Amino acid sequence: MDSIDNIDFKKFTSQQKSIQMKMRLLALAHFKDGYSRTQIAKFLKVSRTSVNKWVQTFLAEGIEELQEKPRIGRPAFLCTQQREQLSQFIKSCAEDSSGGRLTGTDIHAYIVKEFGKYYHPDSIYYLLNQMGFYWITLRSKHPKQSQQNQDDF
């Protein structure tokens, strides 16, 4: 196990890519310099509970246990093949010469019909963003707007 006196935390901090790990190592560097956990929390603008947890983890288990653990998360509703099919559907609707407007409701209906998956309406836009699509709409026109009057102006 690592001793707090044998580690140059500031040097080790500069070698890190993860912001979270840099914060943890800076907290340990301040702790090594004799600052209280409350002072460290104020310096780094984090909670005292976080500083306590980092120091205790280091003292009990070593520096390796401070590393960020891999996160798995919930699997995606649509697999890669389904996303590709949805992408092709959206592109074909956008290139359709008859025009028309594809809405989030239309996309949701397609997903339900083709894949049997139900998304919250807000999640449809998040999904589209992840797939590289951006929601763009035309600027609305007033019913009495006259192109002739604008051109004359």
Side-chain angles (χ1 to χ4, degrees), residues 92-102:
S92 68
C93 288
E95 294 169 356
D96 188 5
S97 62
S98 65
R101 190 172 149 177
L102 195 60

Side-chain angles (χ1 to χ4, degrees), residues 112-127:
V112 170
K113 180 181 150 216
E114 292 292 319
F115 312 124
K117 307 286 182 171
Y118 294 88
Y119 276 86
H120 185 275
D122 293 343
S123 297
I124 294 292
Y125 300 104
Y126 180 74
L127 171 67

Side-chain angles (χ1 to χ4, degrees), residues 89 103-117 124:
F89 167 73
T103 64
T105 305
D106 299 329
I107 295 170
H108 184 263
Y110 179 82
I111 291 172
V112 170
K113 180 181 150 216
E114 292 292 319
F115 312 124
K117 307 286 182 171
I124 294 292

Side-chain angles (χ1 to χ4, degrees), residues 30-141:
H30 288 309
F31 183 74
K32 179 182 174 184
D33 291 342
Y35 291 102
S36 74
R37 295 173 193 197
T38 304
Q39 290 172 320
I40 296 168
K42 286 180 183 177
F43 290 153
L44 299 178
K45 296 186 179 358
V46 296
S47 71
R48 187 177 181 279
T49 305
S50 294
V51 174
N52 258 346
K53 186 172 72 172
W54 300 335
V55 171
Q56 288 173 348
T57 299
F58 172 77
L59 293 175
E61 302 172 31
I63 205 160
E64 292 80 26
E65 290 302 314
L66 288 173
Q67 295 287 344
E68 195 73 22
K69 308 291 186 279
R71 298 179 190 191
I72 296 178
R74 185 177 73 188
F77 271 7
L78 300 179
C79 68
T80 307
Q81 181 182 0
Q82 291 170 328
R83 283 180 180 230
E84 183 59 35
Q85 183 180 336
L86 177 61
S87 178
Q88 291 302 321
F89 167 73
I90 294 169
K91 288 175 184 175
S92 68
C93 288
E95 294 169 356
D96 188 5
S97 62
S98 65
R101 190 172 149 177
L102 195 60
T103 64
T105 305
D106 299 329
I107 295 170
H108 184 263
Y110 179 82
I111 291 172
V112 170
K113 180 181 150 216
E114 292 292 319
F115 312 124
K117 307 286 182 171
Y118 294 88
Y119 276 86
H120 185 275
D122 293 343
S123 297
I124 294 292
Y125 300 104
Y126 180 74
L127 171 67
L128 292 173
N129 195 14
Q130 281 184 323
M131 293 172 59
F133 290 102
Y134 299 96
W135 203 256
I136 302 172
T137 59
L138 296 174
R139 186 176 222 175
S140 61
K141 293 184 177 183

